[in-house]
Amino acid sequence: MHTATPFLLLFQLLLSCSTSALGAAAPALGGKWSGTLKIPNGKLLQLQLHITDNNGKPTASLDIPTQNARGIAVERVEVRGDSLLLQSNAIRASFAGRIAPTGG
């Protein structure tokens, strides 16, 4: 089973559905990001990404309430300018993307 593509879609969706405000200079990603992911079998998964800013070092965990999965570790959370890198060893997936100044 290849999880990278659904995970990529997950974070694209989460970044576009967030209600958090992003600053133009240094995006503030802290908070709860949520969205819905349509998986290949047509089912929908509710997803929640929790990002915490720990003195400038962001940490994250992922919840998938639809599957009763909570606190899935996201071991790597890296922000460089407008770029974001997320990696979860538990689900063998990663995401690299850009953060729009408007959050969309």
Side-chain angles (χ1 to χ4, degrees):
M1 180 174 166
H2 182 43
T3 58
T5 301
F7 202 64
L8 172 68
L9 295 173
L10 154 72
F11 285 108
Q12 286 176 333
L13 180 64
L14 292 175
L15 288 174
S16 66
C17 292
S18 171
T19 57
S20 298
L22 298 176
L29 297 176
K32 177 178 164 183
W33 300 68
S34 61
T36 304
L37 175 66
K38 185 175 182 179
I39 57 177
N41 67 6
K43 292 185 179 183
L44 299 176
L45 293 179
Q46 296 174 340
L47 305 164
Q48 298 172 346
L49 180 67
H50 305 274
I51 299 179
T52 303
D53 181 14
N54 294 315
N55 297 319
K57 172 122 177 69
T59 59
S61 66
L62 175 67
D63 296 343
I64 307 173
T66 309
Q67 296 181 336
N68 203 26
R70 303 225 186 306
I72 300 167
V74 178
E75 291 84 6
R76 188 172 178 191
V77 181
E78 200 172 302
V79 179
R80 292 185 184 167
D82 66 350
S83 295
L84 174 66
L85 175 65
L86 303 166
Q87 181 177 339
S88 174
N89 296 332
I91 58 175
R92 297 180 308 194
S94 62
F95 167 77
R98 295 206 159 188
I99 306 161
T102 60

Coordinates of all heavy atoms in Angstrom, one line a residue:
M1 N 0.9 -1.2 0.0 CA 0.0 0.0 0.0 C 0.9 1.2 0.0 O 1.8 1.4 0.8 CB -0.9 0.0 1.2 CG -1.8 1.1 1.3 SD -2.9 0.9 2.7 CE -3.5 2.5 2.9
H2 N 0.6 2.1 -0.9 CA 1.4 3.3 -1.0 C 0.7 4.5 -0.4 O -0.4 4.8 -0.8 CB 1.7 3.6 -2.5 CG 2.5 4.8 -2.8 ND1 3.6 5.1 -2.1 CD2 2.4 5.8 -3.7 CE1 4.1 6.2 -2.5 NE2 3.4 6.7 -3.5
T3 N 1.2 5.1 0.7 CA 0.5 6.1 1.4 C 1.0 7.5 1.1 O 0.4 8.5 1.6 CB 0.7 5.9 3.0 OG1 2.0 5.9 3.3 CG2 0.0 4.6 3.4
A4 N 2.0 7.7 0.4 CA 2.5 9.0 0.1 C 1.5 9.9 -0.6 O 1.4 11.1 -0.3 CB 3.9 8.9 -0.6
T5 N 0.9 9.4 -1.6 CA -0.1 10.2 -2.4 C -1.2 10.6 -1.6 O -1.6 11.8 -1.5 CB -0.5 9.5 -3.7 OG1 0.6 9.2 -4.5 CG2 -1.5 10.3 -4.5
P6 N -1.9 9.7 -0.8 CA -3.0 10.2 0.1 C -2.5 11.2 1.1 O -3.2 12.2 1.4 CB -3.5 9.0 0.7 CG -3.2 7.9 -0.2 CD -1.9 8.3 -0.8
F7 N -1.3 11.0 1.6 CA -0.8 11.9 2.6 C -0.5 13.3 2.0 O -0.8 14.3 2.6 CB 0.5 11.3 3.2 CG 0.9 11.9 4.6 CD1 0.0 11.7 5.6 CD2 2.0 12.6 4.8 CE1 0.4 12.1 6.9 CE2 2.4 13.0 6.0 CZ 1.6 12.8 7.1
L8 N 0.0 13.3 0.8 CA 0.2 14.5 0.0 C -1.1 15.3 -0.1 O -1.2 16.5 0.2 CB 0.9 14.3 -1.3 CG 1.0 15.4 -2.3 CD1 2.0 16.4 -1.8 CD2 1.4 15.0 -3.7
L9 N -2.1 14.6 -0.6 CA -3.4 15.2 -0.7 C -3.9 15.7 0.6 O -4.5 16.8 0.7 CB -4.4 14.2 -1.3 CG -4.1 13.8 -2.8 CD1 -5.0 12.7 -3.2 CD2 -4.1 14.9 -3.7
L10 N -3.7 15.0 1.7 CA -4.1 15.3 3.0 C -3.6 16.7 3.4 O -4.3 17.6 3.7 CB -3.7 14.3 4.0 CG -3.5 14.8 5.5 CD1 -4.8 15.1 6.1 CD2 -2.7 13.8 6.2
F11 N -2.3 16.9 3.2 CA -1.7 18.2 3.7 C -2.0 19.3 2.7 O -2.2 20.4 3.1 CB -0.2 18.0 3.9 CG 0.0 17.3 5.2 CD1 0.5 16.0 5.2 CD2 -0.3 17.9 6.4 CE1 0.7 15.3 6.4 CE2 -0.1 17.2 7.6 CZ 0.3 15.9 7.6
Q12 N -2.2 19.0 1.4 CA -2.7 20.1 0.5 C -4.1 20.5 1.0 O -4.4 21.7 1.0 CB -2.8 19.6 -0.9 CG -1.4 19.4 -1.5 CD -1.5 18.8 -2.9 OE1 -2.4 18.1 -3.3 NE2 -0.5 19.1 -3.7
L13 N -4.9 19.6 1.3 CA -6.3 19.9 1.8 C -6.2 20.6 3.1 O -6.9 21.6 3.3 CB -7.1 18.6 1.9 CG -8.5 18.7 2.4 CD1 -9.3 19.5 1.3 CD2 -9.1 17.4 2.6
L14 N -5.4 20.2 4.0 CA -5.4 20.8 5.3 C -4.9 22.2 5.2 O -5.4 23.1 5.9 CB -4.5 20.0 6.3 CG -5.1 18.7 6.7 CD1 -4.0 17.9 7.6 CD2 -6.4 18.8 7.5
L15 N -3.9 22.4 4.4 CA -3.3 23.8 4.2 C -4.4 24.7 3.6 O -4.4 25.9 3.9 CB -2.1 23.8 3.4 CG -0.8 23.2 4.1 CD1 0.3 23.1 3.1 CD2 -0.4 24.0 5.3
S16 N -5.2 24.2 2.7 CA -6.2 25.1 2.0 C -7.4 25.3 2.8 O -8.2 26.2 2.6 CB -6.5 24.5 0.6 OG -7.2 23.3 0.8
C17 N -7.7 24.4 3.8 CA -8.9 24.4 4.6 C -8.8 25.1 5.9 O -9.7 25.2 6.7 CB -9.5 23.0 4.8 SG -10.1 22.3 3.3
S18 N -7.6 25.5 6.3 CA -7.3 26.0 7.6 C -8.0 27.3 7.8 O -8.2 28.1 6.9 CB -5.8 26.2 7.8 OG -5.6 26.8 9.0
T19 N -8.4 27.6 9.1 CA -8.9 28.9 9.5 C -7.8 29.7 10.2 O -8.1 30.8 10.6 CB -10.1 28.7 10.4 OG1 -9.7 28.0 11.5 CG2 -11.3 28.0 9.7
S20 N -6.6 29.1 10.3 CA -5.5 29.9 10.9 C -5.0 30.9 10.0 O -5.0 30.8 8.8 CB -4.4 28.9 11.3 OG -4.8 27.9 12.1
A21 N -4.6 32.1 10.6 CA -4.0 33.2 9.8 C -2.6 32.9 9.6 O -1.9 32.5 10.5 CB -4.3 34.5 10.5
L22 N -2.1 33.2 8.4 CA -0.7 33.1 8.1 C -0.1 34.4 7.9 O -0.6 35.2 7.1 CB -0.4 32.2 6.9 CG -0.9 30.7 7.0 CD1 -0.7 30.0 5.7 CD2 -0.2 30.0 8.1
G23 N 1.0 34.7 8.5 CA 1.7 36.0 8.3 C 2.5 35.9 7.0 O 3.0 34.9 6.6
A24 N 2.7 37.1 6.4 CA 3.5 37.1 5.1 C 4.9 36.8 5.3 O 5.6 36.1 4.5 CB 3.3 38.5 4.5
A25 N 5.5 37.3 6.4 CA 7.0 37.1 6.6 C 7.3 35.7 7.1 O 8.1 35.0 6.5 CB 7.5 38.2 7.5
A26 N 6.7 35.3 8.3 CA 7.0 34.1 8.9 C 5.7 33.4 9.2 O 5.1 33.8 10.2 CB 7.9 34.2 10.1
P27 N 5.3 32.5 8.4 CA 3.9 31.9 8.7 C 3.8 31.2 10.1 O 4.7 30.5 10.5 CB 3.8 30.8 7.6 CG 4.9 31.0 6.6 CD 5.9 31.9 7.3
A28 N 2.7 31.5 10.7 CA 2.5 30.9 12.0 C 1.5 29.7 11.8 O 0.4 29.9 11.4 CB 1.8 31.9 13.0
L29 N 2.1 28.5 12.0 CA 1.3 27.3 11.6 C 0.6 26.7 12.8 O -0.1 25.8 12.7 CB 2.2 26.3 11.0 CG 2.8 26.7 9.6 CD1 3.8 25.6 9.2 CD2 1.7 26.9 8.6
G30 N 0.9 27.2 14.0 CA 0.3 26.6 15.2 C -1.2 26.6 15.2 O -1.8 27.5 14.8
G31 N -1.7 25.4 15.7 CA -3.2 25.3 15.8 C -3.7 24.0 15.2 O -2.9 23.1 14.9
K32 N -5.0 23.9 15.0 CA -5.6 22.7 14.5 C -6.0 22.9 13.1 O -6.7 23.9 12.8 CB -6.8 22.4 15.4 CG -7.6 21.2 14.9 CD -8.8 21.0 15.9 CE -9.8 20.1 15.3 NZ -11.0 19.9 16.2
W33 N -5.5 22.1 12.2 CA -5.8 22.2 10.8 C -6.7 21.0 10.5 O -6.4 19.8 10.9 CB -4.6 22.1 10.0 CG -3.6 23.2 10.2 CD1 -2.9 23.4 11.4 CD2 -3.2 24.2 9.3 NE1 -2.1 24.5 11.2 CE2 -2.3 25.1 10.0 CE3 -3.6 24.6 8.0 CZ2 -1.7 26.2 9.4 CZ3 -3.0 25.7 7.5 CH2 -2.1 26.5 8.1
S34 N -7.8 21.1 9.8 CA -8.7 20.0 9.5 C -9.2 20.0 8.1 O -9.2 21.1 7.4 CB -9.8 20.0 10.5 OG -10.6 21.1 10.4
G35 N -9.6 18.8 7.6 CA -10.1 18.7 6.3 C -10.6 17.3 6.1 O -10.6 16.5 7.0
T36 N -11.1 17.0 4.9 CA -11.6 15.7 4.5 C -10.8 15.2 3.3 O -10.6 16.0 2.4 CB -13.1 15.8 4.2 OG1 -13.8 16.3 5.3 CG2 -13.6 14.4 3.9
L37 N -10.4 14.0 3.3 CA -9.7 13.4 2.2 C -10.5 12.3 1.6 O -11.0 11.4 2.3 CB -8.4 12.8 2.8 CG -7.5 12.0 1.8 CD1 -7.0 12.9 0.7 CD2 -6.4 11.3 2.5
K38 N -10.7 12.3 0.3 CA -11.4 11.2 -0.4 C -10.3 10.2 -0.8 O -9.4 10.6 -1.6 CB -12.1 11.8 -1.6 CG -12.9 10.7 -2.4 CD -13.8 11.3 -3.5 CE -14.6 10.3 -4.1 NZ -15.4 10.9 -5.2
I39 N -10.4 9.0 -0.3 CA -9.4 8.0 -0.6 C -9.9 7.2 -1.9 O -11.0 7.3 -2.3 CB -9.2 7.1 0.6 CG1 -10.5 6.4 1.1 CG2 -8.6 7.9 1.7 CD1 -10.3 5.5 2.2
P40 N -9.0 6.4 -2.5 CA -9.3 5.7 -3.7 C -10.5 4.9 -3.8 O -11.2 4.8 -4.8 CB -8.0 4.9 -4.0 CG -6.9 5.6 -3.3 CD -7.6 6.2 -2.1
N41 N -10.9 4.3 -2.6 CA -12.2 3.5 -2.6 C -13.4 4.4 -2.6 O -14.5 3.8 -2.5 CB -12.2 2.5 -1.5 CG -12.2 3.1 -0.1 OD1 -12.4 4.3 0.0 ND2 -12.1 2.3 0.9
G42 N -13.3 5.7 -2.6 CA -14.4 6.6 -2.6 C -14.9 7.1 -1.2 O -15.7 8.0 -1.1
K43 N -14.3 6.5 -0.2 CA -14.7 6.9 1.2 C -14.0 8.2 1.6 O -13.0 8.5 1.0 CB -14.4 5.8 2.2 CG -15.2 4.5 2.0 CD -14.9 3.5 3.1 CE -15.8 2.3 2.8 NZ -15.6 1.3 3.9
L44 N -14.6 8.8 2.5 CA -14.1 10.1 3.0 C -13.5 9.9 4.4 O -14.1 9.2 5.3 CB -15.2 11.2 3.1 CG -15.9 11.5 1.8 CD1 -17.0 12.6 2.1 CD2 -14.8 12.1 0.8
L45 N -12.3 10.5 4.6 CA -11.6 10.4 5.9 C -11.6 11.8 6.5 O -11.1 12.8 5.8 CB -10.2 9.9 5.8 CG -10.0 8.4 5.4 CD1 -8.5 8.1 5.3 CD2 -10.7 7.5 6.4
Q46 N -12.0 12.0 7.7 CA -11.9 13.3 8.4 C -10.4 13.3 8.9 O -10.0 12.3 9.5 CB -12.8 13.4 9.5 CG -14.3 13.4 9.1 CD -15.2 13.4 10.4 OE1 -14.8 13.0 11.4 NE2 -16.4 13.9 10.1
L47 N -9.7 14.4 8.8 CA -8.4 14.5 9.2 C -8.1 15.7 10.0 O -8.7 16.8 9.7 CB -7.4 14.5 8.0 CG -7.6 13.4 7.0 CD1 -7.0 13.7 5.7 CD2 -7.0 12.1 7.6
Q48 N -7.3 15.6 11.1 CA -7.0 16.8 11.9 C -5.5 16.7 12.1 O -4.9 15.7 12.6 CB -7.7 16.7 13.2 CG -9.2 16.8 13.1 CD -9.9 16.5 14.4 OE1 -9.4 16.1 15.3 NE2 -11.2 16.8 14.4
L49 N -4.8 17.8 11.8 CA -3.4 18.0 12.1 C -3.2 19.0 13.2 O -3.8 20.1 13.1 CB -2.7 18.5 10.8 CG -1.2 18.7 10.9 CD1 -0.4 17.3 11.2 CD2 -0.6 19.3 9.7
H50 N -2.5 18.6 14.2 CA -2.3 19.5 15.4 C -0.8 20.0 15.3 O 0.1 19.1 15.5 CB -2.6 18.8 16.7 CG -4.0 18.2 16.7 ND1 -5.1 19.0 17.1 CD2 -4.4 17.0 16.4 CE1 -6.1 18.2 17.0 NE2 -5.8 17.0 16.6
I51 N -0.6 21.3 15.2 CA 0.7 21.8 15.2 C 0.9 22.7 16.4 O 0.1 23.6 16.6 CB 1.0 22.6 13.9 CG1 0.9 21.6 12.7 CG2 2.5 23.2 13.9 CD1 1.1 22.3 11.3
T52 N 2.0 22.5 17.1 CA 2.3 23.3 18.3 C 3.7 24.0 18.0 O 4.6 23.3 17.6 CB 2.4 22.4 19.5 OG1 1.1 21.8 19.7 CG2 2.6 23.3 20.8
D53 N 3.8 25.2 18.4 CA 5.1 25.9 18.3 C 5.7 25.9 19.7 O 5.3 26.5 20.6 CB 4.9 27.4 17.9 CG 6.2 28.2 17.8 OD1 7.2 27.5 17.8 OD2 6.1 29.4 17.7
N54 N 6.8 25.1 19.8 CA 7.5 24.9 21.0 C 8.8 25.8 21.0 O 9.9 25.3 20.6 CB 7.9 23.5 21.3 CG 6.7 22.6 21.5 OD1 5.8 23.0 22.2 ND2 6.6 21.5 20.9
N55 N 8.7 27.1 21.3 CA 9.8 28.0 21.3 C 10.5 28.0 19.9 O 11.7 27.9 19.8 CB 10.8 27.6 22.4 CG 10.2 27.8 23.8 OD1 9.5 28.8 24.0 ND2 10.5 26.9 24.7
G56 N 9.7 28.1 18.9 CA 10.3 28.2 17.5 C 10.5 26.9 16.8 O 10.9 26.8 15.7
K57 N 10.3 25.8 17.5 CA 10.5 24.4 16.9 C 9.1 23.8 16.9 O 8.6 23.3 17.9 CB 11.4 23.6 17.8 CG 11.4 22.1 17.4 CD 12.8 21.7 17.0 CE 12.9 20.2 16.6 NZ 12.3 19.9 15.4
P58 N 8.5 23.8 15.7 CA 7.1 23.2 15.6 C 7.1 21.7 15.7 O 8.0 21.0 15.3 CB 6.7 23.6 14.2 CG 7.9 23.9 13.4 CD 8.9 24.3 14.4
T59 N 6.1 21.2 16.4 CA 5.8 19.7 16.5 C 4.4 19.5 16.0 O 3.6 20.4 16.0 CB 6.0 19.2 17.9 OG1 5.1 19.9 18.8 CG2 7.4 19.4 18.4
A60 N 4.1 18.2 15.6 CA 2.8 17.9 15.1 C 2.4 16.5 15.4 O 3.2 15.6 15.6 CB 2.8 18.2 13.6
S61 N 1.1 16.3 15.4 CA 0.5 15.0 15.4 C -0.8 15.0 14.5 O -1.3 16.1 14.2 CB 0.1 14.6 16.8 OG -1.0 15.4 17.3
L62 N -1.2 13.8 14.1 CA -2.3 13.7 13.2 C -3.4 12.8 13.8 O -3.1 11.8 14.4 CB -1.8 13.1 11.9 CG -2.8 12.7 10.8 CD1 -3.4 14.0 10.2 CD2 -2.1 11.9 9.7
D63 N -4.6 13.2 13.6 CA -5.8 12.4 14.1 C -6.6 12.1 12.8 O -6.7 12.9 11.9 CB -6.7 13.2 15.0 CG -6.0 13.5 16.3 OD1 -5.0 12.9 16.7 OD2 -6.6 14.4 17.0
I64 N -7.1 10.8 12.8 CA -8.0 10.4 11.7 C -9.2 9.9 12.4 O -9.3 8.7 12.7 CB -7.4 9.4 10.8 CG1 -6.0 9.9 10.2 CG2 -8.3 9.0 9.6 CD1 -5.3 8.8 9.4
P65 N -10.1 10.8 12.9 CA -11.3 10.3 13.6 C -12.1 9.3 13.0 O -12.7 8.4 13.7 CB -12.1 11.6 13.8 CG -11.1 12.7 13.6 CD -10.1 12.2 12.6
T66 N -12.2 9.3 11.6 CA -13.0 8.3 10.9 C -12.5 6.9 11.2 O -13.3 5.9 11.2 CB -12.9 8.6 9.4 OG1 -13.2 9.9 9.1 CG2 -13.8 7.7 8.6
Q67 N -11.2 6.7 11.5 CA -10.6 5.4 11.8 C -10.3 5.3 13.3 O -9.6 4.4 13.7 CB -9.4 5.2 10.9 CG -9.6 5.2 9.5 CD -8.4 5.0 8.6 OE1 -7.3 5.3 9.0 NE2 -8.6 4.4 7.4
N68 N -10.8 6.2 14.1 CA -10.5 6.2 15.5 C -9.0 6.2 15.8 O -8.6 5.6 16.8 CB -11.2 5.1 16.2 CG -11.4 5.4 17.7 OD1 -11.5 6.5 18.1 ND2 -11.5 4.3 18.5
A69 N -8.2 6.9 15.0 CA -6.8 7.0 15.1 C -6.5 8.4 15.7 O -6.9 9.4 15.1 CB -6.1 6.7 13.8
R70 N -5.8 8.4 16.8 CA -5.4 9.7 17.4 C -4.0 9.8 17.8 O -3.4 8.8 18.2 CB -6.3 9.9 18.7 CG -7.8 9.8 18.4 CD -8.5 10.9 19.1 NE -10.0 10.8 19.1 CZ -10.7 10.7 18.0 NH1 -10.2 10.6 16.8 NH2 -12.1 10.7 18.1
G71 N -3.4 11.0 17.6 CA -2.0 11.2 18.1 C -1.0 10.5 17.2 O 0.1 10.1 17.7
I72 N -1.2 10.3 15.9 CA -0.2 9.7 15.0 C 1.0 10.7 15.0 O 0.8 11.9 14.7 CB -0.8 9.5 13.6 CG1 -2.0 8.5 13.7 CG2 0.3 9.0 12.7 CD1 -2.8 8.4 12.5
A73 N 2.1 10.2 15.2 CA 3.3 11.0 15.3 C 3.7 11.6 13.9 O 3.7 10.9 12.9 CB 4.5 10.3 15.8
V74 N 4.0 12.9 13.9 CA 4.6 13.5 12.7 C 6.0 13.9 13.2 O 6.1 14.9 13.9 CB 3.8 14.7 12.2 CG1 4.4 15.4 11.0 CG2 2.4 14.3 11.8
E75 N 7.0 13.1 12.9 CA 8.3 13.3 13.5 C 9.0 14.5 13.0 O 9.9 15.1 13.7 CB 9.2 12.0 13.3 CG 8.7 10.8 14.1 CD 7.6 10.0 13.4 OE1 7.3 10.4 12.2 OE2 7.1 9.1 14.0
R76 N 8.8 14.9 11.7 CA 9.5 16.0 11.2 C 8.5 17.1 10.7 O 7.7 16.9 9.9 CB 10.3 15.5 10.0 CG 11.3 16.5 9.4 CD 12.1 15.9 8.4 NE 13.0 16.8 7.8 CZ 13.8 16.6 6.7 NH1 13.7 15.4 6.1 NH2 14.6 17.5 6.2
V77 N 8.7 18.2 11.3 CA 7.9 19.4 10.9 C 9.0 20.5 10.7 O 9.6 21.0 11.6 CB 7.0 19.8 12.0 CG1 6.2 21.1 11.6 CG2 6.0 18.7 12.4
E78 N 9.2 20.9 9.5 CA 10.2 21.8 9.1 C 9.6 23.0 8.3 O 9.0 22.7 7.3 CB 11.3 21.1 8.3 CG 12.6 21.8 8.3 CD 13.6 20.9 7.6 OE1 13.9 19.8 8.1 OE2 14.2 21.3 6.6
V79 N 9.8 24.2 8.8 CA 9.4 25.4 8.0 C 10.6 26.2 7.7 O 11.4 26.6 8.5 CB 8.4 26.2 8.9 CG1 8.0 27.5 8.1 CG2 7.2 25.4 9.3
R80 N 10.8 26.5 6.4 CA 11.8 27.3 5.9 C 11.2 28.3 4.9 O 10.9 28.0 3.8 CB 12.9 26.5 5.1 CG 13.7 25.6 6.0 CD 14.7 24.9 5.2 NE 15.4 23.9 6.1 CZ 16.2 23.0 5.6 NH1 16.4 22.9 4.3 NH2 16.8 22.2 6.5
G81 N 11.1 29.6 5.4 CA 10.5 30.6 4.6 C 9.0 30.2 4.4 O 8.3 30.0 5.3
D82 N 8.6 30.1 3.1 CA 7.2 29.7 2.8 C 7.1 28.2 2.5 O 6.1 27.7 2.0 CB 6.7 30.5 1.7 CG 7.4 30.2 0.3 OD1 8.5 29.6 0.3 OD2 6.9 30.7 -0.7
S83 N 8.2 27.4 2.8 CA 8.2 26.0 2.5 C 7.9 25.2 3.8 O 8.4 25.5 4.9 CB 9.5 25.5 1.9 OG 9.7 26.1 0.7
L84 N 7.2 24.1 3.6 CA 6.8 23.2 4.8 C 7.1 21.8 4.4 O 6.8 21.3 3.3 CB 5.3 23.4 5.0 CG 4.7 22.4 6.0 CD1 5.2 22.7 7.4 CD2 3.1 22.5 6.0
L85 N 7.7 21.1 5.4 CA 8.0 19.7 5.2 C 7.5 18.9 6.4 O 7.7 19.3 7.5 CB 9.5 19.4 5.1 CG 10.0 18.0 5.1 CD1 9.5 17.3 3.8 CD2 11.5 17.9 5.1
L86 N 6.7 17.9 6.1 CA 6.1 17.1 7.2 C 6.4 15.6 6.9 O 6.4 15.2 5.7 CB 4.6 17.2 7.2 CG 4.1 18.6 7.4 CD1 2.6 18.7 7.1 CD2 4.3 19.1 8.8
Q87 N 6.8 14.8 7.9 CA 7.1 13.4 7.7 C 6.6 12.6 8.9 O 6.8 13.0 10.1 CB 8.6 13.2 7.6 CG 9.0 11.8 7.4 CD 10.5 11.7 7.2 OE1 11.2 12.6 6.8 NE2 11.0 10.5 7.4
S88 N 5.9 11.5 8.6 CA 5.4 10.6 9.6 C 5.9 9.2 9.3 O 5.5 8.6 8.3 CB 3.8 10.6 9.6 OG 3.4 9.6 10.5
N89 N 6.7 8.7 10.2 CA 7.2 7.4 10.0 C 6.2 6.3 10.3 O 6.2 5.3 9.7 CB 8.4 7.1 10.9 CG 9.6 8.1 10.6 OD1 9.8 8.5 9.5 ND2 10.4 8.4 11.6
A90 N 5.2 6.6 11.2 CA 4.2 5.7 11.5 C 3.3 5.3 10.3 O 2.9 4.1 10.2 CB 3.3 6.3 12.6
I91 N 3.1 6.2 9.4 CA 2.3 5.9 8.2 C 3.1 5.9 7.0 O 2.6 5.9 5.9 CB 1.0 6.8 8.1 CG1 1.4 8.3 8.0 CG2 0.0 6.5 9.2 CD1 0.2 9.2 7.8
R92 N 4.4 6.0 7.1 CA 5.4 6.0 6.0 C 5.1 7.0 4.9 O 4.9 6.6 3.8 CB 5.5 4.6 5.5 CG 6.1 3.6 6.4 CD 6.2 2.2 5.9 NE 4.9 1.9 5.3 CZ 4.5 0.7 4.9 NH1 5.4 -0.3 5.0 NH2 3.4 0.5 4.3
A93 N 4.9 8.2 5.3 CA 4.5 9.3 4.4 C 5.2 10.6 4.7 O 5.5 10.8 5.8 CB 3.0 9.4 4.4
S94 N 5.3 11.4 3.7 CA 5.8 12.7 3.9 C 5.1 13.7 2.9 O 4.5 13.3 1.9 CB 7.4 12.8 3.6 OG 7.7 12.4 2.3
F95 N 5.3 15.0 3.2 CA 4.7 16.0 2.4 C 5.7 17.2 2.3 O 6.3 17.6 3.3 CB 3.4 16.5 2.9 CG 2.9 17.8 2.3 CD1 2.3 17.7 1.0 CD2 3.0 19.0 2.9 CE1 1.9 18.9 0.4 CE2 2.6 20.1 2.3 CZ 2.0 20.1 1.1
A96 N 5.9 17.8 1.2 CA 6.6 19.0 1.0 C 5.7 19.9 0.2 O 5.2 19.5 -0.8 CB 7.9 18.8 0.3
G97 N 5.6 21.2 0.7 CA 4.8 22.1 -0.1 C 5.1 23.6 0.3 O 6.0 23.8 1.1
R98 N 4.4 24.5 -0.3 CA 4.5 25.9 0.0 C 3.3 26.4 0.7 O 2.2 26.0 0.4 CB 4.8 26.6 -1.3 CG 6.1 26.2 -1.9 CD 6.6 27.3 -2.8 NE 8.0 27.0 -2.9 CZ 8.8 27.8 -3.4 NH1 8.4 29.0 -3.9 NH2 10.1 27.5 -3.5
I99 N 3.5 27.4 1.5 CA 2.4 28.0 2.3 C 2.1 29.4 1.6 O 3.0 30.2 1.5 CB 2.9 28.2 3.8 CG1 3.3 26.9 4.4 CG2 1.7 28.9 4.6 CD1 4.2 27.1 5.6
A100 N 0.9 29.5 1.2 CA 0.5 30.8 0.6 C 0.4 31.9 1.7 O -0.1 31.6 2.8 CB -0.8 30.6 -0.1
P101 N 0.8 33.1 1.4 CA 0.7 34.2 2.4 C -0.8 34.3 2.9 O -0.9 34.7 4.0 CB 1.1 35.4 1.6 CG 1.9 34.9 0.5 CD 1.4 33.6 0.1
T102 N -1.8 34.0 2.1 CA -3.1 34.1 2.5 C -3.6 32.9 3.2 O -4.8 32.9 3.7 CB -4.1 34.4 1.3 OG1 -3.9 33.3 0.4 CG2 -3.7 35.7 0.6
G103 N -2.8 31.8 3.3 CA -3.3 30.6 3.9 C -4.1 29.7 3.0 O -4.5 28.6 3.3
G104 N -4.2 30.1 1.7 CA -5.0 29.3 0.8 C -4.2 28.6 -0.3 O -3.1 28.6 -0.3

